[in-house]
Amino acid sequence: MTETRTGTYPVDPHATAMDDYLRGCYRPPFCYVRSDGKVSQDPIERRFEDPSDFRDYERRAFDKASGRVLDIGCGAGKHLLPLQRAGLEVEGIDISPQAVRICRARGGRNVQVMDALRLTYAPGTFDSVLLFSNGLSMGGTPAGVNRLLAECHRVTRPGGRVLLGNTDVALSTDPADLAYQEENVRRGDPRGLVRMRTSYAGVSSDEFDWLFVSPADLAVAAAETGWSVTDVDATAWGGYAAVLDRE
């Protein structure tokens, strides 16, 4: 995933951790540091999983990719490379130049640096768009999420679809998470908003906003941007995959 949507990347702990992992010199942990100080370690090796190791709900959605595919936030190529090997025409974008270099080094073709909220593709270019690994959350705000879905609608053909994975954070059982969400609500912010930074090997990114989207909020955003949620595969802990079909 990426840390910001605009500007340069003088510091990119996430991509640096991926690069070190590939070169055999990874120094764990890679972490997300929330604005209230909570630190969550994230296994960087998950960026390199084979589809056989995907979580079941994510794999079922991933298997529905067809036609010409756009992988938004392609990172190291976890989703792009298997589709490419399967013979699909797939393109990947990431806001991080370092992540794009990693994906290309691993064999990714048609991969470029691009802001997901400002896609430069012509209307009707793709049949499927991938937004896995909480990719929709990079919108950062409800308006940003809607803008991202609107961009996906613009660059897909009639009959196109979005395949995504996200998290309903309201199902968390962690009291600190629930307290953070309640503070969001008290301030008038979305429950799923998280302000955080990434950290690896003593280096941290700037803070950025990440908006986790519940299935109910997804249905609203989809309806406002020309999509229909046709399938939600949810878990008890909050993770889910969804299929959005173009109206």
Side-chain angles (χ1 to χ4, degrees), residues 60-118:
R60 285 190 287 268
F62 174 75
D63 287 343
K64 295 177 181 178
S66 62
R68 190 175 181 185
V69 182
L70 173 63
D71 184 6
I72 293 180
C74 62
K78 172 180 174 177
H79 299 97
L80 181 146
L81 293 172
L83 295 177
Q84 186 176 281
R85 289 193 293 267
L88 274 70
E89 185 179 0
V90 55
E91 300 192 26
I93 66 166
D94 203 294
I95 196 65
S96 166
Q98 190 175 0
V100 166
R101 288 194 296 270
I102 292 169
C103 191
R104 288 173 177 167
R106 298 186 70 218
R109 302 187 296 270
N110 300 318
V111 181
Q112 60 182 309
V113 177
M114 192 183 299
D115 187 337
L117 301 187
R118 300 173 179 85

Side-chain angles (χ1 to χ4, degrees), residues 136-153:
L136 186 59
S137 299
M138 72 179 71
T141 64
V145 166
N146 278 25
R147 180 171 176 177
L148 179 49
L149 287 176
E151 278 292 273
C152 292
H153 189 276

Side-chain angles (χ1 to χ4, degrees), residues 1-6 9 14 71-75 93-96 114-119 129-149 152 165-166 192-194 196 208-213:
M1 304 309 299
T2 57
E3 280 67 55
T4 59
R5 295 195 302 274
T6 59
Y9 257 75
H14 182 242
D71 184 6
I72 293 180
C74 62
I93 66 166
D94 203 294
I95 196 65
S96 166
M114 192 183 299
D115 187 337
L117 301 187
R118 300 173 179 85
L119 298 177
V129 177
L130 308 186
L131 280 167
F132 286 112
S133 304
N134 296 308
L136 186 59
S137 299
M138 72 179 71
T141 64
V145 166
N146 278 25
R147 180 171 176 177
L148 179 49
L149 287 176
C152 292
N166 214 278
L193 175 65
V194 175
M196 60 183 172
F208 58 97
D209 287 342
W210 199 249
L211 183 60
F212 291 101
V213 182

